[in-house]
Amino acid sequence: AGQEMEGAETQTPLVCPGHTRGVVQVSFSHPTPDGVFLISACLDGKPMLRRGDTGDWVGTFEGHKGAVWSARLDKPALRAATGSADFSARLWDALTGDQLHDFNCGHVVKSVDFSPDSHQLLCSGKFKKLKIFDLEKLVPVAELEGHTVGVKSALFLPCGTKAISGGEDKTLRVWDLKSNTQIKTIEVQKEITSMQLSYDGEIVTVTAGTQVHFWGTKELEMIKSLDCPIVNPTLGGSAKVKDITSASLSPDRRRFIAGGPADQAWPDPWVHVFNFDNGDEIECNKGHHGHVWDVAFAPDGETYASGADDGTIRIWTTEPGKHEDKGSSE
């Protein structure tokens, strides 16, 4: 018990069952008139849509013939996009669950992202190039070449005319989508394992090795990089330091959450919470029974979700105890 952090309260998260294999990506929608939604990508090939506040199941997108590595909602949360090991990126109606289109990418798709105006889809994966599809005409409109190996993640920047990507070649690349050229490269410690854009569009959170990088989308510069090695408390003094594989910054920029390594010898089932100012670990949430693949804050910052190899999604409270004193008279 000596491992507990000062003042840390243990909390019981909401558990969202339904998937049969590892949940590899969790992504909240922007706020909509109908609330916030949560979409999950899973190795079982069946992405799921849930209510973001309660975790209640809304529907499952059926059709992929392989693991789904990425799943996202467009800004109004009316359409979903998924990327799969079956070499396809697919577009779905998020209200009915119907498949609207199947884009063949020629190799495993690891990441999909809607443009800010929801008119285009950016896909990346084992095919090294970034592919952009027009979602009105349903045709490819651009291929961006530069990465030398697989690309783990690619995101549109809020302006809609630039993108950022990263993957196994340990390089963040920034692209100008008007000329389809690479305008910047940033070298990092190890392969890039995750990238996430903040809801206000100002910061991309990137994980690579033991480092978490925070990159500014306006200035196209690194704001800060923190070294946050994950130490397994259960191994006692012989704890080996491991890499971070996913991270998400809270909307108020006071903290960020992270998931640890997928190392088979040492799968880390905990969700780690760090102080954004200095990178100190401030909380460690136990609950999953398999390593944590992905983490994401909800848009209001009050909760965050984790997807893990145990096939569950868990929704955690950012400040446990904060709302308990208020009573029910709100």
Side-chain angles (χ1 to χ4, degrees):
Q3 302 294 341
E4 290 298 316
M5 297 190 194
E6 293 291 317
E9 299 187 39
T10 55
Q11 60 163 305
T12 307
L14 283 170
V15 181
C16 312
H19 283 299
T20 56
R21 290 189 60 201
V23 178
V24 292
Q25 193 178 58
V26 285
S27 178
F28 285 96
S29 72
H30 281 260
T32 76
D34 297 318
V36 169
F37 295 90
L38 175 64
I39 192 168
S40 52
C42 183
L43 300 179
D44 63 14
K46 296 182 169 64
M48 288 188 182
L49 186 67
R50 299 175 186 274
R51 292 209 59 85
D53 50 357
T54 60
D56 290 345
W57 178 84
V58 175
T60 302
F61 300 99
E62 305 260 2
H64 277 296
K65 296 176 173 59
V68 172
W69 285 103
S70 183
R72 291 195 193 274
L73 294 158
D74 66 2
K75 228 172 200 152
L78 297 175
R79 293 182 300 178
T82 53
S84 169
D86 65 11
F87 294 12
S88 74
R90 301 192 189 200
L91 183 67
W92 311 81
D93 183 319
L95 301 178
T96 63
D98 294 337
Q99 181 177 305
L100 302 175
H101 199 70
D102 173 341
F103 298 99
N104 180 6
C105 290
H107 210 321
V108 174
V109 184
K110 281 294 181 83
S111 159
V112 290
D113 191 42
F114 283 99
S115 60
D117 63 8
S118 305
H119 290 329
Q120 294 186 323
L121 189 69
L122 172 62
C123 303
S124 68
K126 294 271 178 130
F127 40 90
K128 302 176 193 170
K129 298 172 192 168
L130 308 190
K131 295 177 189 263
I132 300 176
F133 296 96
D134 181 314
L135 297 180
E136 311 298 310
K137 302 186 177 108
L138 303 175
V139 293
V141 286
E143 287 199 350
L144 308 178
E145 300 195 34
H147 281 286
T148 53
V149 281
V151 182
K152 179 68 177 69
S153 189
L155 303 172
F156 280 101
L157 297 189
C159 58
T161 56
K162 293 188 184 74
I164 185 169
S165 60
E168 296 167 27
D169 59 11
K170 306 178 189 167
T171 309
L172 273 172
R173 296 173 193 268
V174 186
W175 308 84
D176 171 25
L177 302 180
K178 289 178 183 158
S179 60
N180 291 335
T181 54
Q182 190 171 288
I183 51 175
K184 195 158 196 174
T185 58
I186 304 121
E187 304 290 324
V188 293
Q189 182 187 44
K190 283 176 89 169
E191 75 173 271
I192 290 155
T193 47
S194 77
M195 293 185 357
Q196 206 175 93
L197 180 68
S198 60
Y199 293 100
D200 62 14
E202 290 180 7
I203 298 180
V204 177
T205 303
V206 180
T207 55
T210 56
Q211 291 180 325
V212 183
H213 303 278
F214 301 94
W215 185 82
T217 61
K218 288 191 176 126
E219 49 283 290
L220 306 183
E221 296 287 346
M222 204 62 87
I223 295 167
K224 72 157 91 176
S225 298
L226 293 168
D227 204 45
C228 305
I230 301 266
V231 178
N232 185 342
T234 55
L235 295 180
S238 64
K240 291 206 18 213
V241 166
K242 294 286 185 173
D243 295 346
I244 280 179
T245 51
S246 62
S248 180
L249 177 63
S250 65
D252 65 9
R253 301 186 193 173
R254 288 176 53 200
R255 66 194 82 202
F256 60 96
I257 48 175
D263 188 333
Q264 290 310 301
W266 185 64
D268 174 21
W270 295 357
V271 180
H272 303 267
V273 186
F274 294 92
N275 179 314
F276 177 63
D277 288 330
N278 57 21
D280 289 349
E281 188 167 342
I282 49 178
E283 206 183 332
C284 182
N285 293 317
K286 305 175 178 67
H288 282 294
H289 303 289
H291 77 265
V292 174
W293 276 99
D294 195 33
V295 290
F297 266 102
D300 64 4
E302 299 274 328
T303 59
Y304 51 91
S306 54
D309 213 38
D310 59 11
T312 68
I313 298 159
R314 287 168 202 255
I315 299 176
W316 310 81
T317 305
T318 304
E319 296 186 48
K322 177 176 155 189
H323 297 293
E324 282 163 21
D325 323 323
K326 295 185 182 172
S328 54
S329 57
E330 293 218 12

